[in-house]
mmCIF file of all heavy atoms in Angstrom:
data_model
loop_
_atom_site.group_PDB
_atom_site.id
_atom_site.type_symbol
_atom_site.label_atom_id
_atom_site.label_comp_id
_atom_site.label_asym_id
_atom_site.label_seq_id
_atom_site.Cartn_x
_atom_site.Cartn_y
_atom_site.Cartn_z
ATOM 1 N N ALA A 1 132.424 157.359 16.559
ATOM 2 C CA ALA A 1 131.226 156.730 17.108
ATOM 3 C C ALA A 1 130.247 156.365 16.001
ATOM 4 O O ALA A 1 129.635 155.291 16.017
ATOM 5 C CB ALA A 1 130.559 157.654 18.116
ATOM 6 N N ASP A 2 130.072 157.266 15.014
ATOM 7 C CA ASP A 2 129.156 156.966 13.917
ATOM 8 C C ASP A 2 129.697 155.831 13.062
ATOM 9 O O ASP A 2 128.949 154.931 12.658
ATOM 10 C CB ASP A 2 128.918 158.202 13.054
ATOM 11 C CG ASP A 2 127.843 157.956 12.001
ATOM 12 O OD1 ASP A 2 126.673 157.828 12.384
ATOM 13 O OD2 ASP A 2 128.186 157.864 10.804
ATOM 14 N N PHE A 3 130.996 155.859 12.778
ATOM 15 C CA PHE A 3 131.609 154.777 11.999
ATOM 16 C C PHE A 3 131.418 153.441 12.716
ATOM 17 O O PHE A 3 131.030 152.439 12.102
ATOM 18 C CB PHE A 3 133.094 155.067 11.790
ATOM 19 C CG PHE A 3 133.789 154.075 10.903
ATOM 20 C CD1 PHE A 3 133.817 154.238 9.535
ATOM 21 C CD2 PHE A 3 134.411 152.952 11.449
ATOM 22 C CE1 PHE A 3 134.453 153.321 8.711
ATOM 23 C CE2 PHE A 3 135.049 152.026 10.638
ATOM 24 C CZ PHE A 3 135.064 152.212 9.269
ATOM 25 N N ASP A 4 131.672 153.434 14.018
ATOM 26 C CA ASP A 4 131.545 152.196 14.792
ATOM 27 C C ASP A 4 130.100 151.697 14.811
ATOM 28 O O ASP A 4 129.853 150.481 14.768
ATOM 29 C CB ASP A 4 132.023 152.420 16.226
ATOM 30 C CG ASP A 4 133.529 152.598 16.319
ATOM 31 O OD1 ASP A 4 134.237 152.283 15.347
ATOM 32 O OD2 ASP A 4 133.992 153.072 17.383
ATOM 33 N N ARG A 5 129.148 152.633 14.872
ATOM 34 C CA ARG A 5 127.734 152.244 14.918
ATOM 35 C C ARG A 5 127.322 151.552 13.624
ATOM 36 O O ARG A 5 126.630 150.527 13.638
ATOM 37 C CB ARG A 5 126.860 153.480 15.161
ATOM 38 C CG ARG A 5 125.377 153.180 15.302
ATOM 39 C CD ARG A 5 124.628 154.435 15.739
ATOM 40 N NE ARG A 5 124.652 155.465 14.712
ATOM 41 C CZ ARG A 5 123.699 155.613 13.782
ATOM 42 N NH1 ARG A 5 122.661 154.798 13.767
ATOM 43 N NH2 ARG A 5 123.772 156.580 12.893
ATOM 44 N N VAL A 6 127.750 152.097 12.489
ATOM 45 C CA VAL A 6 127.417 151.492 11.205
ATOM 46 C C VAL A 6 128.064 150.114 11.075
ATOM 47 O O VAL A 6 127.422 149.141 10.640
ATOM 48 C CB VAL A 6 127.859 152.400 10.046
ATOM 49 C CG1 VAL A 6 127.666 151.708 8.698
ATOM 50 C CG2 VAL A 6 127.082 153.715 10.077
ATOM 51 N N MET A 7 129.318 150.018 11.464
ATOM 52 C CA MET A 7 130.000 148.732 11.368
ATOM 53 C C MET A 7 129.383 147.705 12.317
ATOM 54 O O MET A 7 129.305 146.513 11.997
ATOM 55 C CB MET A 7 131.490 148.913 11.673
ATOM 56 C CG MET A 7 132.224 149.811 10.689
ATOM 57 S SD MET A 7 132.246 149.196 8.993
ATOM 58 C CE MET A 7 133.475 147.905 9.155
ATOM 59 N N ALA A 8 128.929 148.155 13.470
ATOM 60 C CA ALA A 8 128.329 147.243 14.446
ATOM 61 C C ALA A 8 127.074 146.587 13.884
ATOM 62 O O ALA A 8 126.855 145.382 14.044
ATOM 63 C CB ALA A 8 128.000 147.985 15.734
ATOM 64 N N VAL A 9 126.240 147.378 13.226
ATOM 65 C CA VAL A 9 124.996 146.833 12.685
ATOM 66 C C VAL A 9 125.247 146.089 11.375
ATOM 67 O O VAL A 9 124.852 144.933 11.205
ATOM 68 C CB VAL A 9 123.959 147.948 12.473
ATOM 69 C CG1 VAL A 9 122.692 147.387 11.817
ATOM 70 C CG2 VAL A 9 123.622 148.618 13.791
ATOM 71 N N ASN A 10 125.907 146.750 10.432
ATOM 72 C CA ASN A 10 126.015 146.220 9.072
ATOM 73 C C ASN A 10 127.020 145.086 8.932
ATOM 74 O O ASN A 10 126.902 144.275 8.003
ATOM 75 C CB ASN A 10 126.377 147.341 8.098
ATOM 76 C CG ASN A 10 125.272 148.372 7.967
ATOM 77 O OD1 ASN A 10 124.251 148.294 8.639
ATOM 78 N ND2 ASN A 10 125.483 149.355 7.118
ATOM 79 N N VAL A 11 128.034 145.049 9.797
ATOM 80 C CA VAL A 11 129.052 143.996 9.683
ATOM 81 C C VAL A 11 128.946 143.005 10.845
ATOM 82 O O VAL A 11 128.736 141.813 10.639
ATOM 83 C CB VAL A 11 130.475 144.590 9.611
ATOM 84 C CG1 VAL A 11 131.504 143.470 9.430
ATOM 85 C CG2 VAL A 11 130.579 145.589 8.469
ATOM 86 N N ARG A 12 129.066 143.509 12.070
ATOM 87 C CA ARG A 12 128.926 142.613 13.219
ATOM 88 C C ARG A 12 127.554 141.931 13.204
ATOM 89 O O ARG A 12 127.445 140.717 13.451
ATOM 90 C CB ARG A 12 129.110 143.401 14.513
ATOM 91 C CG ARG A 12 128.831 142.597 15.806
ATOM 92 C CD ARG A 12 128.916 143.506 17.032
ATOM 93 N NE ARG A 12 128.353 142.873 18.216
ATOM 94 C CZ ARG A 12 129.026 142.091 19.045
ATOM 95 N NH1 ARG A 12 130.298 141.827 18.809
ATOM 96 N NH2 ARG A 12 128.447 141.565 20.102
ATOM 97 N N GLY A 13 126.506 142.704 12.914
ATOM 98 C CA GLY A 13 125.169 142.137 12.896
ATOM 99 C C GLY A 13 125.024 141.024 11.867
ATOM 100 O O GLY A 13 124.422 139.981 12.135
ATOM 101 N N GLN A 14 125.592 141.230 10.667
ATOM 102 C CA GLN A 14 125.505 140.193 9.639
ATOM 103 C C GLN A 14 126.368 138.988 10.007
ATOM 104 O O GLN A 14 125.997 137.838 9.737
ATOM 105 C CB GLN A 14 125.921 140.757 8.274
ATOM 106 C CG GLN A 14 125.119 141.966 7.812
ATOM 107 C CD GLN A 14 123.655 141.662 7.543
ATOM 108 O OE1 GLN A 14 123.005 140.945 8.298
ATOM 109 N NE2 GLN A 14 123.120 142.218 6.471
ATOM 110 N N PHE A 15 127.519 139.245 10.619
ATOM 111 C CA PHE A 15 128.350 138.133 11.095
ATOM 112 C C PHE A 15 127.593 137.287 12.119
ATOM 113 O O PHE A 15 127.577 136.057 12.044
ATOM 114 C CB PHE A 15 129.649 138.659 11.703
ATOM 115 C CG PHE A 15 130.282 137.694 12.671
ATOM 116 C CD1 PHE A 15 130.875 136.520 12.231
ATOM 117 C CD2 PHE A 15 130.243 137.939 14.045
ATOM 118 C CE1 PHE A 15 131.426 135.602 13.138
ATOM 119 C CE2 PHE A 15 130.790 137.041 14.950
ATOM 120 C CZ PHE A 15 131.385 135.869 14.489
ATOM 121 N N LEU A 16 126.977 137.950 13.089
ATOM 122 C CA LEU A 16 126.243 137.207 14.116
ATOM 123 C C LEU A 16 125.099 136.397 13.502
ATOM 124 O O LEU A 16 124.830 135.267 13.911
ATOM 125 C CB LEU A 16 125.704 138.165 15.173
ATOM 126 C CG LEU A 16 126.748 138.830 16.078
ATOM 127 C CD1 LEU A 16 126.083 139.874 16.972
ATOM 128 C CD2 LEU A 16 127.495 137.800 16.923
ATOM 129 N N GLY A 17 124.431 136.993 12.518
ATOM 130 C CA GLY A 17 123.352 136.278 11.850
ATOM 131 C C GLY A 17 123.854 135.072 11.077
ATOM 132 O O GLY A 17 123.243 133.994 11.107
ATOM 133 N N LEU A 18 124.977 135.241 10.374
ATOM 134 C CA LEU A 18 125.575 134.127 9.639
ATOM 135 C C LEU A 18 126.030 133.030 10.599
ATOM 136 O O LEU A 18 125.760 131.845 10.383
ATOM 137 C CB LEU A 18 126.762 134.620 8.817
ATOM 138 C CG LEU A 18 126.451 135.270 7.473
ATOM 139 C CD1 LEU A 18 127.681 135.995 6.946
ATOM 140 C CD2 LEU A 18 125.993 134.220 6.457
ATOM 141 N N ARG A 19 126.718 133.434 11.637
ATOM 142 C CA ARG A 19 127.203 132.444 12.599
ATOM 143 C C ARG A 19 126.040 131.690 13.235
ATOM 144 O O ARG A 19 126.077 130.457 13.378
ATOM 145 C CB ARG A 19 128.038 133.121 13.683
ATOM 146 C CG ARG A 19 128.757 132.129 14.598
ATOM 147 C CD ARG A 19 129.460 132.827 15.735
ATOM 148 N NE ARG A 19 128.511 133.418 16.687
ATOM 149 C CZ ARG A 19 128.878 134.027 17.823
ATOM 150 N NH1 ARG A 19 130.158 134.137 18.129
ATOM 151 N NH2 ARG A 19 127.964 134.530 18.627
ATOM 152 N N GLY A 20 124.996 132.419 13.594
ATOM 153 C CA GLY A 20 123.833 131.780 14.186
ATOM 154 C C GLY A 20 123.169 130.804 13.230
ATOM 155 O O GLY A 20 122.732 129.714 13.632
ATOM 156 N N ALA A 21 123.103 131.178 11.949
ATOM 157 C CA ALA A 21 122.501 130.284 10.961
ATOM 158 C C ALA A 21 123.316 129.003 10.828
ATOM 159 O O ALA A 21 122.760 127.895 10.808
ATOM 160 C CB ALA A 21 122.413 131.002 9.612
ATOM 161 N N PHE A 22 124.636 129.135 10.757
ATOM 162 C CA PHE A 22 125.483 127.950 10.624
ATOM 163 C C PHE A 22 125.403 127.068 11.868
ATOM 164 O O PHE A 22 125.396 125.829 11.768
ATOM 165 C CB PHE A 22 126.928 128.369 10.350
ATOM 166 C CG PHE A 22 127.233 128.546 8.888
ATOM 167 C CD1 PHE A 22 126.962 129.751 8.249
ATOM 168 C CD2 PHE A 22 127.767 127.509 8.143
ATOM 169 C CE1 PHE A 22 127.237 129.920 6.903
ATOM 170 C CE2 PHE A 22 128.047 127.666 6.792
ATOM 171 C CZ PHE A 22 127.773 128.878 6.164
ATOM 172 N N ARG A 23 125.347 127.685 13.029
ATOM 173 C CA ARG A 23 125.208 126.888 14.257
ATOM 174 C C ARG A 23 123.893 126.123 14.257
ATOM 175 O O ARG A 23 123.834 124.966 14.678
ATOM 176 C CB ARG A 23 125.300 127.806 15.484
ATOM 177 C CG ARG A 23 126.707 128.309 15.765
ATOM 178 C CD ARG A 23 126.726 129.236 16.962
ATOM 179 N NE ARG A 23 128.093 129.578 17.358
ATOM 180 C CZ ARG A 23 128.411 130.398 18.356
ATOM 181 N NH1 ARG A 23 127.438 130.982 19.060
ATOM 182 N NH2 ARG A 23 129.669 130.649 18.655
ATOM 183 N N ARG A 24 122.833 126.757 13.778
ATOM 184 C CA ARG A 24 121.532 126.097 13.740
ATOM 185 C C ARG A 24 121.545 124.928 12.764
ATOM 186 O O ARG A 24 121.032 123.844 13.058
ATOM 187 C CB ARG A 24 120.455 127.120 13.339
ATOM 188 C CG ARG A 24 119.104 126.528 13.097
ATOM 189 C CD ARG A 24 118.217 126.435 14.296
ATOM 190 N NE ARG A 24 118.708 125.930 15.543
ATOM 191 C CZ ARG A 24 118.388 124.752 16.068
ATOM 192 N NH1 ARG A 24 117.617 123.919 15.402
ATOM 193 N NH2 ARG A 24 118.814 124.407 17.246
#
């Protein structure tokens, strides 16, 4: 659960931010 939480924020979160920036 802790591993998943870190990956969710630090990796998924950055992916979503990158994807959102490119879409914009």
Side-chain angles (χ1 to χ4, degrees):
D2 187 70
F3 185 88
D4 289 345
R5 183 172 66 93
V6 173
M7 297 298 284
V9 176
N10 294 3
V11 182
R12 174 185 166 88
Q14 303 295 42
F15 157 71
L16 291 174
L18 278 166
R19 189 186 69 176
F22 272 85
R23 287 178 172 178
R24 173 89 314 252

